[in-house]
Amino acid sequence: DGGITQSPKYLFRKEGQNVTLSCEQNLNHDAMYWYRQDPGQGLRLIYYSQIVNDFQKGDIAEGYSVSREKKESFPLTVTSAQKNPTAFYLCASSISRDRGQRSYEQYFGPGTRLTVT
Amino acid sequence: DAKTTQPPSMDCAEGRAANLPCNHSTISGNEYVYWYRQIHSQGPQYIIHGLKNNETNEMASLIITEDRKSSTLILPHATLRDTAVYYCIVRVAPRYGQNFVFGPGTRLSVLP
């Protein structure tokens, strides 16, 4: 089955530790995204990548880092510099070049809930 | 991208149609209306989108007013599994790699 996987579903870390969240997709999508969601809030964009070896900062990139070494993978590292890292993290992907489709909707993974104490 | 306004919450009886409104009075001619939903603690799910014509798929119908300043998402026979937060997003046809901006949405509760 095609889709996006994120692991783990729940993650616990001590303050001051870096932590890396996994995101893998087998949809053959070029673009991938990381969002953060806080309780009762909408999604906010952290980073996005349009193509392998390229990525751009979103609205709240401070304290986060990413890499895009493979088309299928877009891991997010939450560094110790992120002041409020506890949140629900969502990864998404989409096509990014016109392949004769009408829409470019994003497909989301199940999310990782990170708790830092 | 145009700003949208949605009611924070709505209730709907199971089996009845759920009509979720969205105002987007500043929408421009090349902006689409997208609807996503998010069931608790899961990733958002694409529902439907449209430009100016009404659209229907297996999940829902989208009714866009003639002036395009508002729209309504219709779930024809709501079930308990439709309880979720519904997001209305207005944006140009996504350019290369651009993201969607998700506001707080409408929390729909389908009641037995």
Side-chain angles (χ1 to χ4, degrees), chain A residues 9 31 33 35 37 40-43 45 48 50-51 59 88 90 96-97 102-106 108-111 113, chain B residues 32 34 36 38 40-46 49-50 55 87 93-104 107:
Chain A
K9 189 168 179 63
Y33 313 79
Y35 293 88
Q37 187 174 35
Q41 305 294 314
L43 281 64
L45 182 69
Y48 66 97
Q50 301 171 350
I51 198 168
D59 301 322
F88 187 45
L90 287 156
S96 60
R97 293 183 179 88
R102 290 180 56 219
S103 65
Y104 295 78
E105 64 265 23
Q106 294 188 352
F108 284 82
R113 191 167 298 280
Chain B
Y32 288 72
Y34 283 79
Y36 280 75
Q38 186 176 22
H40 182 63
S41 293
Q42 297 182 22
Q45 176 189 24
Y46 166 79
H49 78 285
E55 301 285 346
Y87 299 98
R95 290 186 290 272
Y96 188 53
Q98 282 198 324
N99 64 294
F100 285 75
V101 177
F102 289 77
R107 182 173 299 277

Side-chain angles (χ1 to χ4, degrees), chain B residues 73-94:
Chain B
L73 177 74
I74 301 172
L75 307 179
H77 305 287
T79 70
L80 298 179
R81 288 178 295 179
D82 292 321
T83 292
V85 177
Y86 287 78
Y87 299 98
C88 170
I89 302 163
V90 172
R91 57 157 303 149
V92 295

Side-chain angles (χ1 to χ4, degrees), chain A residues 28-101:
Chain A
N28 199 30
H29 285 170
D30 297 299
M32 297 186 73
Y33 313 79
W34 274 105
Y35 293 88
R36 168 186 171 133
Q37 187 174 35
D38 294 285
Q41 305 294 314
L43 281 64
R44 292 185 291 168
L45 182 69
I46 304 172
Y47 267 98
Y48 66 97
S49 168
Q50 301 171 350
I51 198 168
V52 173
N53 293 324
D54 179 71
F55 47 82
Q56 307 295 328
K57 291 183 179 180
D59 301 322
I60 55 165
E62 185 176 351
Y64 299 97
S65 65
V66 293
S67 63
R68 187 85 187 277
E69 297 177 0
K70 298 186 300 181
K71 186 176 183 177
E72 302 80 17
S73 178
F74 191 40
L76 172 74
T77 297
V78 184
T79 75
S80 57
Q82 167 51 233
K83 299 191 186 314
N84 297 296
T86 295
F88 187 45
Y89 289 88
L90 287 156
C91 179
S93 71
S94 70
I95 63 171
S96 60
R97 293 183 179 88
D98 186 356
R99 295 178 181 173
Q101 299 186 31

